[in-house]
Amino acid sequence: MADKVEKITVGKKLNAFLEKNKKALMVVLILCLVALIGFVVINLVMTNQKGNNLAKLDQITYELTNDSATLEDAEIQTRINDALTKLEELRTSSGIVGSRANLLAADLLFRQGKFEDAIKAYEKAASLKNKSYIAPLAYYNIAVCYEELKDIANAEANYKKAVEYEDFLLLTHAKFSYGRILETQGKYKEAVEVYTELNDSTPEDTWAKMAKTRIIALQSEGKAE
């Protein structure tokens, strides 16, 4: 009986509270509903914007490459400059749009020999999509840029970053390049370790076979055990 009385009492108190505060509660519910609607609308807008920007990227790529095999060098440079101009706004985007836009811009800057600018664009691409296929590709290309600039230490650092991505499509090439850059610095022991790992993990791969020849060469020269 005491439990029953307690339940009735609690129920009455709750009803009284709801009746007394129904206006305030209604305002809270309306605010929550408005916030939910706003969230949905923002999501839809962002999704549509993302789709539109990806379509713009595809259009830029198409305009850049369409029938490009028949173009003279001057015409190709005109297309590259036009593409870089159109990419400027997209490069400030977040996520996949910004990452892809910066990756394409970096490739074009690399073709123009603007290696320092290309490095910045590749770094931006990697930072926006660090867990995607773009990041290791960007780090690999950054390493190539640093080699062009004769900055071997930074080339080594970025090849090392690239090979840390096990699902990188160019992983064996990147590992060989990493070993090669170690070798050019006289770091023969580290180079052989990289070459050996590459050869042991994928012995039938072309780059692994090249790594094996480098191990043999270094051993014959007395630079490695």
Side-chain angles (χ1 to χ4, degrees):
M1 179 64 70
D3 289 343
K4 186 175 181 180
V5 171
E6 179 65 23
K7 289 177 183 177
I8 292 173
T9 303
V10 170
K12 285 182 178 180
K13 288 181 178 180
L14 179 60
N15 287 334
F17 174 80
L18 293 174
E19 182 64 27
K20 181 178 180 181
N21 297 279
K22 62 182 179 181
K23 290 184 179 180
L25 290 171
M26 185 61 68
V27 171
V28 171
L29 288 172
I30 291 172
L31 290 174
C32 289
L33 182 59
V34 169
L36 178 61
I37 293 172
F39 176 77
V40 172
V41 170
I42 289 172
N43 262 341
L44 287 172
V45 170
M46 290 179 67
T47 300
N48 289 336
Q49 185 64 43
K50 177 181 176 182
N52 290 337
N53 286 337
L54 288 173
K56 288 179 182 178
L57 271 173
D58 290 339
Q59 182 62 29
I60 292 170
T61 303
Y62 174 78
E63 292 173 356
L64 179 67
T65 59
N66 184 40
D67 294 329
S68 59
T70 62
L71 298 179
E72 299 292 335
D73 288 345
E75 294 173 304
I76 291 174
Q77 287 304 316
T78 297
R79 284 196 181 188
I80 289 175
N81 289 329
D82 185 49
L84 286 169
T85 299
K86 292 177 179 178
L87 286 168
E88 284 183 8
E89 181 180 356
L90 296 175
R91 289 177 63 186
T92 63
S93 301
S94 60
I96 189 63
V97 173
S99 187
R100 279 185 53 188
N102 277 284
L103 187 66
L104 177 55
D107 288 344
L108 298 178
L109 290 164
F110 181 91
R111 288 184 61 178
Q112 292 183 329
K114 299 177 180 178
F115 302 118
E116 292 179 348
D117 291 335
I119 287 169
K120 292 176 183 178
Y122 282 130
E123 288 176 338
K124 183 68 172 179
S127 69
L128 291 171
K129 275 294 182 182
N130 193 44
K131 294 183 179 180
S132 75
Y133 70 94
I134 290 176
L137 181 60
Y139 289 130
Y140 178 87
N141 288 332
I142 290 170
V144 174
C145 287
Y146 275 122
E147 282 203 77
E148 292 288 344
L149 294 169
K150 310 301 180 186
D151 187 342
I152 304 304
N154 272 314
E156 176 192 334
N158 282 280
Y159 280 131
K160 184 178 181 181
K161 287 182 182 179
V163 302
E164 290 172 353
Y165 292 78
E166 290 298 325
D167 56 350
F168 182 27
L169 292 176
L170 302 177
L171 182 60
T172 57
H173 190 176
K175 283 184 177 180
F176 180 82
S177 297
Y178 181 37
R180 173 181 55 76
I181 208 73
L182 288 167
E183 188 180 338
T184 60
Q185 298 176 85
K187 299 179 180 180
Y188 302 120
K189 181 180 178 180
E190 293 96 322
V192 168
E193 289 175 354
V194 173
Y195 288 146
T196 301
E197 192 280 329
L198 172 56
N199 185 65
D200 289 347
S201 61
T202 54
E204 298 305 314
D205 183 86
T206 300
W207 294 105
K209 291 177 181 178
M210 292 179 64
K212 181 65 175 180
T213 64
R214 291 309 306 151
I215 294 172
I216 294 171
L218 289 171
Q219 289 173 338
S220 66
E221 295 167 6
K223 296 176 179 177
E225 297 179 0

